[in-house]
Amino acid sequence: MNVKLEIRHLRLLDAVAEEGSVTGAAKRLHTTQSALSHQLRDAEERLEARLFLRLGKKMVLTPAGGHLLGAARRVLEELRRAEEQVSSLNNGTGGLIRLTTECYTCYHWLPPLLKRFHKRFPKVEVRIDAQSTTRAIDALLEGKLDVAILSSPPKNKNLELTPIVADEMVVMMAPEHPLAQLKFIRPRDFAGETVIIYPPREESTLLQKYLIPANIEPKDVLEIPLTEAVIEMTAAGMGIALVAQWSVAPQAKSGRVITRPFTRHGLRRTWYAATLRDQACSPSLAEFVELLAQPRPSEFWPGTIGLEKVRKKPLPATA
C-alpha cells in the first residue's frame, strides 16, 4: 500500500479546517504553530498539491484539500471506533456502546435496562447519541453507532437485526373529535383531517403505506418530532395522529385524549436491535443486545407485547 500521508497529517488537516487557522489547530492538537506549519508543508509536498489557501488570517481549503478532508475524517472516525472496540474487547470489562433509537420517546425504557446491564459490565459506558435519532440507520452504517433500536429497518445485507419487542399503533384524537365515536379508524377516515406525523414524511408509515397508495388526501400534514408536542396538539383538537399505544397510555387513561385501533384488525409493529454484521462484537455488546431481546417487555417497555412467536435469533441477511 503506497500511502503518502500519515495519521498526523490527517489530524492536522481536520484541525486546521475546523479551527480556520494554524494557530487554533496547534492549540487544539497541543503542539507548536511552527511544528504544525512544517507538517502542513510536508503533507503538501508529499501530495504535490496545495491543501489550504490563506485569505487574510483565515485558512481556506482548496478543492484538493476539501476532497481529502472527507476521506481524512472517515479514516479518523474508523480508527477511533476500532480503538474503542479493542478496548471493549479487553477481557470484556471496559469499553463503550453507542446507542440511539429512531424515536425520542423510546429512551424512557433505558434506566431499568442500564441498571441491569451495569451489574454485569460496570466499566462499560453506554452513550446515548440522541442527535442520531432522526438518522439512526445512516449513523450505524457510517460506524458512528454500535446499536440502533428501529421499528422499520431497511433491507440491507450489512445489518444484523434482532427482534426485541412488538407494540400496537393506535389513532389518537381529542375526546370531542367526531372520529371518537367510531370503534376503529380506517385509512379513508383520514381524508380531510389534519394529520400529525413524525418527520420526515417520506418515512411515515401512515402516509407512505396507507394514505398515498389509496389516494387519500388529508386536509393538512404537520410534522412534529416530539411525542409530548403531538399529544398536546392532539388534545387541543389541532389534528389526529397515529402513535404507539404505550407512548400515550397515561394521557389516554386520564381522558385527555382518546385512542382507537387503526383498521379493524389493528396495526402491530416489531422493534429490532440493529448492529453492523461485520463489526467485531464485544462480549458487552452481545450481552446488551441479548438483554434487549429477553422477554420482559412489561419491565422495559410498559404496554408493549412480547415476542414469544418471533424468533430471538438474528434475522437472516437481506439483499
Side-chain angles (χ1 to χ4, degrees):
M1 224 180 195
N2 187 20
V3 178
K4 297 180 179 180
L5 298 184
E6 303 172 13
I7 293 297
R8 61 190 177 95
H9 294 123
L10 303 184
R11 291 196 173 108
L12 156 70
L13 181 67
D14 178 53
V16 175
E18 188 72 23
E19 299 295 334
S21 70
V22 174
T23 302
K27 292 180 180 179
R28 177 176 171 179
L29 296 176
H30 306 291
T31 187
T32 64
Q33 181 178 344
S34 60
L36 216 57
S37 296
H38 177 75
Q39 289 183 31
L40 178 56
R41 286 194 301 272
D42 180 49
E44 292 178 330
E45 289 173 0
R46 293 186 185 202
L47 295 172
E48 298 181 349
R50 292 289 300 275
L51 300 178
F52 289 94
L53 295 176
R54 182 179 294 278
L55 299 180
K57 295 183 178 181
K58 189 170 181 63
M59 300 287 284
V60 179
L61 284 164
T62 64
H67 179 76
L68 182 61
L69 178 62
R73 285 177 171 170
R74 288 192 296 272
V75 170
L76 291 173
E77 172 61 26
E78 182 65 24
L79 179 61
R80 185 189 64 81
R81 188 167 72 93
E83 290 174 348
E84 290 175 348
Q85 289 176 346
V86 170
S87 176
S88 66
L89 288 170
N90 182 22
N91 299 322
T93 59
L96 172 68
I97 294 177
R98 299 162 299 170
L99 165 75
T100 198
T101 81
E102 68 177 11
C103 174
Y104 289 106
T105 311
C106 293
Y107 291 117
H108 82 283
W109 50 260
L110 274 177
L113 185 145
L114 293 180
K115 182 178 180 180
R116 177 166 299 190
F117 175 75
H118 282 143
K119 287 183 178 179
R120 175 71 176 83
F121 295 94
K123 296 182 179 180
V124 176
E125 176 189 358
V126 178
R127 183 180 301 167
I128 301 171
D129 187 355
Q131 292 184 342
S132 296
T133 297
T134 57
R135 54 183 304 274
I137 289 295
D138 290 340
L140 184 62
L141 293 175
E142 291 168 5
K144 297 179 180 179
L145 296 173
D146 298 299
V147 59
I149 309 302
L150 311 166
S151 65
S152 52
K155 294 180 179 180
N156 191 305
K157 62 182 180 181
N158 296 315
L159 296 180
E160 190 94 13
L161 302 175
T162 302
I164 55 177
V165 77
D167 61 1
E168 188 80 19
M169 300 296 290
V170 294
V171 180
M172 176 176 62
M173 65 203 76
E176 63 274 11
H177 197 285
L179 292 181
Q181 305 302 317
L182 302 178
K183 292 183 178 180
F184 60 90
I185 307 300
R186 301 158 295 187
R188 68 187 185 192
D189 294 325
F190 284 85
E193 297 288 342
T194 296
V195 178
I196 304 174
I197 64 169
Y198 297 106
R201 66 176 61 204
E202 293 78 13
E203 298 178 9
S204 168
T205 298
L206 176 63
L207 294 182
Q208 303 301 327
K209 187 175 181 180
Y210 293 96
L211 302 191
I212 292 177
N215 293 318
I216 297 170
E217 295 187 10
K219 176 183 178 181
D220 196 7
V221 176
L222 305 178
E223 297 183 56
I224 308 296
L226 297 177
T227 299
E228 292 78 5
V230 174
I231 293 172
E232 293 303 319
M233 295 180 68
T234 303
M238 299 175 65
I240 61 177
L242 183 67
V243 296
Q245 187 176 38
W246 56 265
S247 69
V248 298
Q251 291 78 11
K253 184 177 181 180
S254 69
R256 291 194 65 228
V257 296
I258 296 293
T259 61
R260 293 290 181 264
F262 182 54
T263 78
R264 181 185 300 274
H265 303 290
L267 175 61
R268 182 179 296 183
R269 64 181 177 179
T270 300
W271 288 85
Y272 299 87
T275 55
L276 288 178
R277 184 171 294 277
D278 60 351
Q279 75 175 355
C281 188
S282 66
S284 58
L285 179 59
E287 177 116 351
F288 187 80
V289 173
E290 182 179 348
L291 185 61
L292 282 169
Q294 289 182 8
R296 287 191 297 271
S298 60
E299 178 182 354
F300 297 148
W301 295 58
T304 53
I305 306 161
L307 291 177
E308 290 78 8
K309 297 182 180 181
V310 179
R311 293 178 301 172
K312 294 297 185 297
K313 61 182 180 180
L315 301 180
T318 53

